[in-house]
Amino acid sequence: MSKPIIALVGRPNVGKSTLFNRLTRSRDAIVADYPGLTRDRQYGTGRLGSQPYIVVDTGGLSGETEGVDPLMAGQVRAALDEADAVLFLVDGRQGILPADEQIANYVRLFDKPVLVLVNKAEGFDHEIAKAEFFKLGMGDPMAISSAHGDNVEQAINSILPKIPPKEQIDDFDLDEQPGVRVAVIGRPNVGKSTLINRMIGEERVVAFDMPGTTRDSIFVPFERDGESYTLIDTAGVRRRKNIKEKIEKFSIVKAIEAMEQSHVVVLVIDGSEGLTDQDLTLIGLAIESGRGLVLAVNKWDNLTAYQREKVKAELVRRLQFVEYAKQHLISALHGSGVGDLFKTIQQVHTAAFKRISTSDLNRVLEQAVLEHQPPLIAGRRVKLRYAHLGGLNPPRVIVHGNQVDKLSEGYTRYLTNVFRKAFKWTGTPVMIEYKTTENPFEGRKAKPKFENRMDERAKADALMRKRKKKKKTQKKRIQ
């Protein structure tokens, strides 16, 4: 069954993005580094709470425009339309404002379960902070702190049971399908359906020269060279401002679900248009899903020599953050380069599920530390003691040691590249998690510095007295 969708709405600066990051357990760098993720609606997989879900962050609503429709047009309306529940954020320090009442009136029109979250309530009496917001008439508000995490998990666990279960669209059980599951994603009209038809050798998927032909995820099981595959064709993902038909508003959600259901993601890029911000957004979502990634630059046969060199240079310049993903220059229409995709897909799938022994991991970790020592933190050297494999697809390495939680992103990237090269983790993200080893001397009281100095001085005085006494004894003997 599909995951429930929870939309975050509210005025600017009430903490929606901070709450989004906490619910998805994502890093600020991921939000900032990929253009397009925050310009429109931002999607992520909820990892905080009792069950999985998709969370949608929306832009802030000022409430200063006349009328509700202009205020709610565009992204927020689309988010509310596709959501199964709504988290309505307000600012507990500013109190209720007219814009909050406007937003509440509009949200009420969608007849979705709503929970009012009184944010920035840290340091305040929660009952007092939320008392004013009963006026919105949307049930019992909950005081939270998205920055500090206060009551955030309680809030998500409170709204999830209010979401009615979704009906199963069909009886296709993806988990029962053998072999490699491959999600084919990309913007509309880049040739995804044409590529799938070429890969399986028959017209199994409708393909027209019209954006948005594919309306839902389509599962295509087949075999090639004795290997089983299930291809997942997704609806074209277009920029939010270009989405008009209600049925197409779900395309990004279907793409996220398809990636999570897959083992390997093939992102199709239109070579004639080059690398767009929306392509980078999809790459960011693929990385966030943790699945192996293959980049297929389509319509390569239509490009001139100058255009090809320009596209190659752009791919090198803009895709440094995902340099582990292998690129294929293909023509889905004529089939050139398509056959090579299967070899890479198999390599990526094998790498993502490769089991590595703890002894091998520690051998590589020890060598990595010898070649490049961790930095000093407050005058103390970070110690990486041992590592073990914590999960597959993507490979997850757990590193234990002292002060490891203070290691820089640069050193983490270094370790990632060392492990990737050593174990041939081709085309898949490699996740490194740190666990701080407990200090066996923690809790023991150390002697104050002045006491240590006193001890040293007393020893020095005793030694001096002993020397003087020895000299006196020697003089008496001489006399």
Side-chain angles (χ1 to χ4, degrees):
M1 298 180 67
S2 299
K3 295 179 181 178
I5 304 168
I6 300 175
L8 310 181
V9 299
R11 295 183 292 105
N13 299 321
V14 294
K16 296 187 301 298
S17 295
T18 304
L19 179 60
F20 176 89
N21 289 336
R22 186 166 292 278
L23 292 175
T24 58
R25 292 181 179 173
S26 57
R27 298 171 296 181
D28 292 339
I30 292 178
V31 175
D33 286 350
Y34 302 129
L37 279 177
T38 55
R39 291 180 185 176
D40 304 308
R41 299 199 302 282
Q42 183 177 343
Y43 291 78
T45 300
R47 294 180 172 85
L48 187 68
S50 58
Q51 69 181 73
Y53 52 92
I54 294 173
V55 58
V56 188
D57 185 16
T58 62
L61 304 171
S62 64
E64 296 177 356
T65 56
E66 295 183 2
V68 175
D69 284 343
L71 174 68
M72 298 297 173
Q75 303 313 311
V76 176
R77 179 185 297 179
L80 290 171
D81 205 18
E82 68 186 357
D84 298 303
V86 180
L87 293 178
F88 177 19
L89 271 73
V90 294
D91 192 325
R93 298 184 179 182
Q94 293 184 348
I96 193 168
L97 297 181
D100 295 322
E101 295 179 335
Q102 280 188 296
I103 296 171
N105 290 335
Y106 191 76
V107 169
R108 204 175 280 114
L109 298 177
F110 287 82
D111 194 26
K112 304 287 176 71
V114 181
L115 177 60
V116 177
L117 299 182
V118 183
N119 196 22
K120 304 180 184 180
E122 63 272 16
F124 290 85
D125 184 287
H126 284 187
E127 294 302 320
I128 296 176
K130 69 182 187 180
E132 185 179 0
F133 294 95
F134 280 94
K135 181 181 177 182
L136 294 174
M138 307 187 85
D140 188 359
M142 180 176 290
I144 70 163
S145 170
S146 58
H148 296 84
D150 301 345
N151 276 350
V152 171
E153 187 168 0
Q154 291 87 332
I156 199 70
N157 287 334
S158 176
I159 194 67
L160 284 172
K162 298 178 182 179
I163 300 175
K166 295 185 179 182
E167 296 181 2
Q168 189 71 30
I169 297 176
D170 54 43
D171 56 359
F172 186 86
D173 191 346
L174 191 60
D175 292 330
E176 293 183 357
Q177 302 304 309
V180 185
R181 299 199 292 267
V182 183
V184 182
I185 66 172
R187 295 180 295 110
N189 209 31
V190 295
K192 297 185 301 299
S193 297
T194 304
L195 175 59
I196 286 183
N197 288 333
R198 177 64 62 177
M199 292 174 75
I200 63 179
E202 59 180 285
E203 298 293 326
R204 290 281 297 275
V205 179
V206 177
F208 294 113
D209 187 18
M210 180 183 299
T213 300
T214 305
R215 297 300 196 183
D216 207 341
S217 295
I218 301 172
F219 304 102
V220 186
F222 76 105
E223 288 189 5
R224 178 187 172 96
D225 298 331
E227 298 287 344
S228 298
Y229 299 88
T230 296
L231 296 181
I232 309 173
D233 182 22
T234 59
V237 180
R238 61 179 62 197
R239 297 189 66 83
R240 306 292 178 271
K241 65 181 182 181
N242 295 330
I243 298 178
K244 296 181 180 179
E245 298 179 48
K246 180 177 179 180
I247 195 168
E248 287 193 28
K249 294 175 184 175
F250 294 85
S251 61
I252 185 70
V253 177
K254 294 297 181 185
I256 293 174
E257 291 179 343
M259 286 187 278
E260 292 180 345
Q261 292 170 329
S262 69
H263 299 138
V264 180
V265 174
V266 175
L267 173 63
V268 185
I269 300 170
D270 190 334
S272 62
E273 296 183 7
L275 195 64
T276 67
D277 286 352
Q278 200 70 359
D279 293 325
L280 295 177
T281 296
L282 289 171
I283 293 174
L285 291 172
I287 295 173
E288 183 69 17
S289 72
R291 299 299 179 254
L293 180 62
V294 181
L295 303 177
V297 185
N298 194 22
K299 307 180 183 180
W300 194 251
D301 55 323
N302 291 333
L303 304 184
T304 64
Y306 171 77
Q307 288 175 321
R308 291 181 178 183
E309 292 302 318
K310 184 178 179 181
V311 172
K312 286 181 179 178
E314 185 182 27
L315 293 174
V316 172
R317 178 174 58 88
R318 303 186 71 183
L319 294 182
Q320 293 181 4
F321 67 96
V322 68
E323 59 184 358
Y324 63 83
K326 190 170 182 179
Q327 302 170 11
H328 286 267
L329 311 176
I330 68 169
S331 170
L333 184 62
H334 298 100
S336 57
V338 174
D340 296 334
L341 279 176
F342 287 95
K343 182 179 179 181
T344 300
I345 289 171
Q346 283 291 343
Q347 289 176 346
V348 173
H349 180 262
T350 300
F353 287 91
K354 183 187 296 183
R355 294 189 177 275
I356 307 297
S357 68
T358 301
S359 59
D360 287 339
L361 279 172
N362 285 299
R363 174 180 51 80
V364 173
L365 177 63
E366 182 180 357
Q367 185 63 35
V369 172
L370 287 175
E371 294 180 0
H372 183 17
Q373 285 282 335
L376 292 172
I377 304 294
R380 295 175 56 200
R381 180 75 64 185
V382 176
K383 294 183 179 179
L384 307 182
R385 299 190 180 280
Y386 65 96
H388 63 87
L389 196 63
L392 301 173
N393 194 34
R396 193 177 304 274
V397 180
I398 313 298
V399 179
H400 296 255
N402 293 346
Q403 301 190 96
V404 288
D405 55 327
K406 298 178 182 178
L407 281 173
S408 65
E409 290 187 8
Y411 197 81
T412 300
R413 284 195 298 271
Y414 163 71
L415 289 180
T416 300
N417 292 333
V418 169
F419 284 127
R420 185 188 304 282
K421 183 178 180 180
F423 302 117
K424 298 182 180 180
W425 276 328
T426 305
T428 177
V430 177
M431 307 297 183
I432 294 184
E433 295 181 4
Y434 296 110
K435 298 289 185 181
T436 302
T437 304
E438 293 184 3
N439 185 352
F441 299 101
E442 188 175 359
R444 294 188 182 182
K445 292 184 178 181
K447 289 185 178 181
K449 290 184 179 179
F450 73 90
E451 289 187 11
N452 293 335
R453 291 173 185 167
M454 291 294 290
D455 291 343
E456 292 174 3
R457 188 176 300 171
K459 290 179 181 179
D461 290 343
L463 182 61
M464 186 64 68
R465 288 194 298 270
K466 186 176 181 180
R467 288 177 178 175
K468 287 180 179 180
K469 186 177 180 181
K470 186 176 181 180
K471 286 181 179 180
K472 288 181 180 180
T473 304
Q474 290 175 347
K475 285 182 180 180
K476 288 181 179 179
R477 288 177 180 175
I478 293 172
Q479 292 175 355

